[in-house]
C-alpha cells in the first residue's frame, strides 16, 4: 500500500493576492486522511474542496467557488502539492486568493517542504485514464491519453514569444528543478485594462515576467529561455490536480489554458468508461 501524504506541521505565509492586490495570510495545515485538499475562506466561514467540479471561472486563473465564496489562482499551489505528491491539506485564507509569492510554484513547494511531510493511515488512490479524452476550444486543444506513467507535453504559440514546446516526465525531483521555478507571465499592453477590471493588481516586475513588443522587460528575473511553456505545464499540473487524485495519463496541450484544462477534466469524468480509480 502507498499511503496518502500530508504536511507534518502547520506553516504560514503572507503576501499579496495576484488579482485582488490585497494582503493575504495563508495557513497550510495537515489535512484529515481522505479529505483531499480543502481551501477555507476564514473571513467567510466557507470550505471549498479543491475539485474540478467546483471551478466556477477560468479567466486568468482557476477559481474555486462554493456557497457564494471564491478562491482564485489556486493552480500554483495545487501544482506544488502535486509536485510533492501530497493528498490532504487544509489551506486557510483571509482573502480571495493565495498570495502570489514569486509567481511560481517553487515558493509554495519550499513552504510545504519546510512543514515536513507525513504519511496518512489510508491508501493513496490514483485515477488511471483508460481511453483518450480530448477537448478543443477554437485553436486550443488538450488531451489525456492512457499511459503507464504521468507525463506532460505542451506546445505554446504567442506573439513576441513565438513557438515553444516542452515535454516533462513527472517526478518529484524533475518538477522541482524543471517546472516549479517557472514564473507566470503577462503583457504590459493589457495591464491597464486588467486593472480596470480589478485584475492583476498584485502583479509586479518581481513576480511576473512582463512582455512588451520587444520581448521580456524584466529579463533579470527570467530563469529559463523557455520559461513560458514550462509555466504552462505548471498550470496544467495544478489544474489536473483538481481531479481529486493523481492522474495516470499523458497530458498534451496546445495553446490551451485553464478553461480548456477544466473542460478536459469534465469530459474525462462525464463517462465512467474513461477511467478507473485504483490504489496506488
Amino acid at each position: 500500500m502507498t499511503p496518502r501524504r500530508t504536511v507534518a506541521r502547520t506553516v504560514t505565509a503572507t503576501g499579496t493576492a495576484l488579482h485582488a492586490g490585497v494582503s493575504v495570510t495563508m495557513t497550510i495545515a495537515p489535512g484529515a486522511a481522505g479529505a483531499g485538499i480543502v481551501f477555507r475562506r476564514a473571513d467567510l466561514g466557507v470550505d471549498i474542496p479543491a475539485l474540478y467540479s467546483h471551478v466556477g471561472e477560468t479567466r486568468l486563473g482557476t477559481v474555486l467557488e462554493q456557497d457564494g465564496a471564491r478562491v482564485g489562482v489556486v493552480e500554483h499551489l495545487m501544482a506544488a502539492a502535486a509536485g510533492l505528491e501530497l493528498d490532504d491539506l487544509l489551506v486557510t485564507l483571509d482573502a480571495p486568493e493565495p498570495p502570489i509569492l514569486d509567481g511560481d510554484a517553487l515558493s509554495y513547494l519550499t513552504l510545504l517542504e519546510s512543514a515536513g511531510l507525513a504519511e496518512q493511515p489510508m491508501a493513496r488512490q490514483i485515477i488511471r485514464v483508460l481511453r483518450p479524452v480530448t477537448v478543443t476550444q477554437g485553436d486550443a486543444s488538450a488531451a489525456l491519453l492512457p499511459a503507464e506513467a504521468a507525463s506532460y507535453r505542451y506546445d505554446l504559440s504567442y506573439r513576441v514569444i513565438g513557438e515553444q514546446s516542452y515535454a516533462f516526465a513527472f517526478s518529484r525531483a524533475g518538477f522541482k528543478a524543471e517546472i516549479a521555478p517557472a514564473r507566470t507571465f503577462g503583457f504590459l499592453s493589457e495591464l491597464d485594462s486588467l486593472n480596470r477590471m480589478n485584475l492583476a493588481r498584485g502583479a509586479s516586475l518581481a513576480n511576473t515576467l512582463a512582455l512588451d513588443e520587444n520581448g521580456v522587460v524584466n529579463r533579470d528575473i527570467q530563469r529559463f529561455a523557455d520559461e513560458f511553456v514550462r509555466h504552462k505545464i505548471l498550470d496544467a499540473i495544478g489544474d489536473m490536480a483538481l481531479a481529486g487524485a493523481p492522474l495516470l495519463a499523458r497530458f498534451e496541450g496546445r495553446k490551451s489554458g485553464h478553461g480548456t484544462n477544466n473542460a478536459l477534466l469534465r469530459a474525462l469524468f462525464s463517462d465512467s468508461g474513461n477511467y478507473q480509480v485504483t490504489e496506488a
Side-chain angles (χ1 to χ4, degrees):
M1 179 189 82
T2 300
R4 296 173 69 90
R5 303 205 309 170
T6 185
V7 289
R9 64 180 184 87
T10 299
V11 288
T12 299
T14 300
T16 302
L18 174 62
H19 289 309
V22 298
S23 178
V24 52
T25 296
M26 173 181 70
T27 299
I28 303 176
I37 297 176
V38 176
F39 286 87
R40 173 171 292 170
R41 282 291 301 271
D43 53 329
L44 300 176
V46 177
D47 287 358
I48 310 176
L51 294 171
Y52 74 95
S53 53
H54 285 273
V55 172
E57 183 182 326
T58 54
R59 179 183 56 167
L60 301 177
T62 297
V63 181
L64 299 172
E65 297 182 352
Q66 178 158 286
D67 297 334
R70 293 159 54 96
V71 175
V73 198
V74 300
E75 60 272 12
H76 299 173
L77 176 56
M78 291 300 298
L84 282 174
E85 297 184 296
L86 296 176
D87 304 286
D88 304 307
L89 295 172
L90 177 60
V91 183
T92 302
L93 306 167
D94 62 358
E97 304 164 34
I100 187 60
L101 302 181
D102 286 337
D104 57 9
L106 183 61
S107 48
Y108 292 109
L109 189 147
T110 301
L111 180 66
L112 291 168
E113 286 183 326
S114 74
L117 306 181
E119 294 184 348
Q120 300 273 61
M122 183 179 291
R124 189 178 216 221
Q125 292 185 317
I126 59 171
I127 299 167
R128 180 185 292 274
V129 173
L130 300 179
R131 57 192 184 194
V133 178
T134 302
V135 297
T136 301
Q137 297 178 339
D139 62 351
S141 64
L144 287 169
L145 308 175
E148 291 304 313
S151 67
Y152 292 79
R153 179 184 171 85
Y154 195 94
D155 296 313
L156 172 151
S157 180
Y158 272 103
R159 60 186 174 88
V160 180
I161 298 172
E163 296 189 359
Q164 294 184 351
S165 297
Y166 201 83
F168 172 63
F170 179 83
S171 70
R172 290 205 297 266
F175 176 81
K176 185 174 183 177
E178 300 176 43
I179 304 300
R183 284 190 173 92
T184 191
F185 60 93
F187 294 90
L188 286 178
S189 60
E190 300 172 354
L191 185 58
D192 286 343
S193 61
L194 289 173
N195 286 169
R196 286 194 294 271
M197 293 186 289
N198 291 319
L199 296 171
R201 291 188 173 275
S204 74
L205 295 179
N207 61 33
T208 303
L209 288 175
L211 294 151
D212 64 12
E213 64 275 8
N214 298 312
V216 182
V217 173
N218 49 345
R219 289 188 181 277
D220 56 308
I221 72 163
Q222 189 172 359
R223 291 165 169 162
F224 308 102
D226 58 355
E227 192 156 348
F228 312 98
V229 69
R230 292 177 190 239
H231 188 81
K232 283 292 191 177
I233 290 179
L234 185 160
D235 282 345
I237 291 172
D239 286 340
M240 292 303 103
L242 296 174
L247 293 172
L248 187 59
R250 174 178 174 83
F251 172 93
E252 294 184 353
R254 177 166 178 77
K255 299 184 180 181
S256 54
H258 301 298
T260 324
N261 293 342
N262 186 249
L264 181 61
L265 286 182
R266 290 178 184 273
L268 172 70
F269 292 113
S270 69
D271 187 337
S272 61
N274 289 336
Y275 64 94
Q276 178 186 39
V277 180
T278 183
E279 284 192 7

